[in-house]
Amino acid sequence: MDWLQVVVLAVVQGISEFLPVSSSAHLILVPVLTDWEDQGLAFDVALHLGSLSAVIIYFRQEIWQMSVSSLAALSGKGVNNDARLAFWVMLATLPVGIIGLLLHDVISHYMRSTLIIGVSLIGFGLLLGYADWRKRGTRSEYQLRWKDVLIIGVAQALALIPGTSRSGITMTAALMVGMSREGAARFSFLLSIPVIVLAGGLEAVKLLQAPQSIDWVAMLVGTVLSGLSAYLCIHYFLVVIKKLGMQPFVIYRVLFGAWLLWFFHF
């Protein structure tokens, strides 16, 4: 890889991982729209590590409280809001984990076409726009009920379809069940932690099974750039949605999806 490819892929991964615009769509399309060779599994693992580091650092206080409270709950000291939130994150991860393991090969081989990506960008983008436009609730991530969590978790499994956007579909479902924009976004970001661990772990296993030469300098730069861009993305996204809501991202998705369909299929 040349350095331009390293920078572009790292920044695209870092930004699109947490915006409701589909990171998989952007990462699939980068090599399609350029003459770059595939970056390889090792670099993919590095980019996921950068994104994971960013969300853990950003929510470090919440994660610490969730961890301490969960251990206290397991030792019989009662369940508080932080322990409950930690359980909700795990519960909402089960559907995507199970379906991802069962259908990973089908999705990776048959559903990564520009047609599916374009349709998903538009369709799920409009659904996000509707959820944001309709009357929203005011509940935070600490006020979820188990039924809400299951709905969000099942919705997250739809993100296995390229172009859907994991953050986009989870925020859509969260808004639908009555969460505030900020609460929906924060819960979606917390949900990304186990999902990124699962995705990165699966790639790491493949890497161990099929060893390849590794450019450690490119890996380090990619990890750092992905982490920095992801951290800034999380921070400014939470600022933007307070003022503008989800509509700018809906417009981007519709235009991007329409361009893909026009460019590749008409």
Side-chain angles (χ1 to χ4, degrees):
M1 289 189 297
D2 59 36
W3 287 110
L4 178 60
Q5 184 178 4
V6 170
V7 172
V8 169
L9 289 174
V11 173
V12 168
Q13 163 67 24
I15 294 176
S16 60
E17 180 68 42
F18 298 108
L19 291 182
V21 296
S22 179
S23 61
S24 62
H26 288 76
L27 289 176
I28 289 172
L29 289 170
V30 167
V32 171
L33 299 175
T34 66
D35 59 355
W36 292 336
E37 295 182 357
D38 184 86
Q39 64 270 19
L41 278 174
F43 194 68
D44 285 343
V45 172
L47 296 186
H48 277 98
L49 178 60
S51 299
L52 178 64
S53 301
V55 71
I56 289 176
I57 292 172
Y58 193 90
F59 290 100
R60 59 191 181 279
Q61 294 182 346
E62 290 86 346
I63 293 171
W64 172 254
Q65 292 298 327
M66 289 163 62
S67 301
V68 171
S69 297
S70 297
L71 292 175
L74 290 174
S75 63
K77 296 181 180 179
V79 178
N80 61 13
N81 286 337
D82 291 304
R84 190 174 295 108
L85 179 59
F87 177 70
W88 290 157
V89 169
M90 293 300 103
L91 178 61
T93 304
L94 287 177
V96 70
I98 294 171
I99 295 175
L101 289 175
L102 293 176
L103 300 179
H104 176 267
D105 291 339
V106 173
I107 293 169
S108 61
H109 285 91
Y110 300 106
M111 301 188 69
R112 294 169 70 90
S113 71
T114 52
L115 177 61
I116 290 177
I117 292 173
V119 172
S120 297
L121 281 167
I122 296 172
F124 288 109
L126 292 174
L127 187 61
L128 173 62
Y130 171 74
D132 187 55
W133 169 78
R134 67 192 288 273
K135 183 178 179 181
R136 294 175 301 278
T138 58
R139 289 188 293 144
S140 73
E141 66 271 28
Y142 293 99
Q143 297 171 304
L144 285 165
R145 300 179 292 260
W146 70 267
K147 292 181 180 179
D148 304 325
V149 175
L150 286 179
I151 290 172
I152 297 171
V154 171
Q156 182 171 225
L158 293 174
L160 294 169
I161 302 172
T164 301
S165 171
R166 188 209 60 80
S167 58
I169 196 64
T170 51
M171 290 180 202
T172 299
L175 290 169
M176 288 287 196
V177 299
M179 294 186 72
S180 67
R181 288 169 174 163
E182 296 84 351
R186 290 172 64 86
F187 189 60
S188 175
F189 293 151
L190 290 173
L191 284 180
S192 73
I193 296 173
V195 170
I196 295 175
V197 169
L198 289 173
L202 184 60
E203 291 180 341
V205 170
K206 291 182 179 179
L207 181 62
L208 292 174
Q209 294 174 343
Q212 55 184 271
S213 60
I214 297 176
D215 185 342
W216 290 105
V217 176
M219 291 263 290
L220 178 59
V221 173
T223 302
V224 172
L225 287 178
S226 176
L228 287 174
S229 55
Y231 187 93
L232 292 173
C233 174
I234 294 171
H235 175 74
Y236 286 107
F237 178 76
L238 291 172
V239 173
V240 168
I241 60 173
K242 290 180 181 180
K243 299 179 179 180
L244 302 177
M246 304 291 183
Q247 302 309 316
F249 306 99
V250 174
I251 294 171
Y252 173 79
R253 288 181 63 118
V254 171
L255 292 177
F256 185 25
W259 177 82
L260 287 179
L261 295 177
W262 173 79
F263 186 83
F264 288 100
H265 300 282
F266 294 102

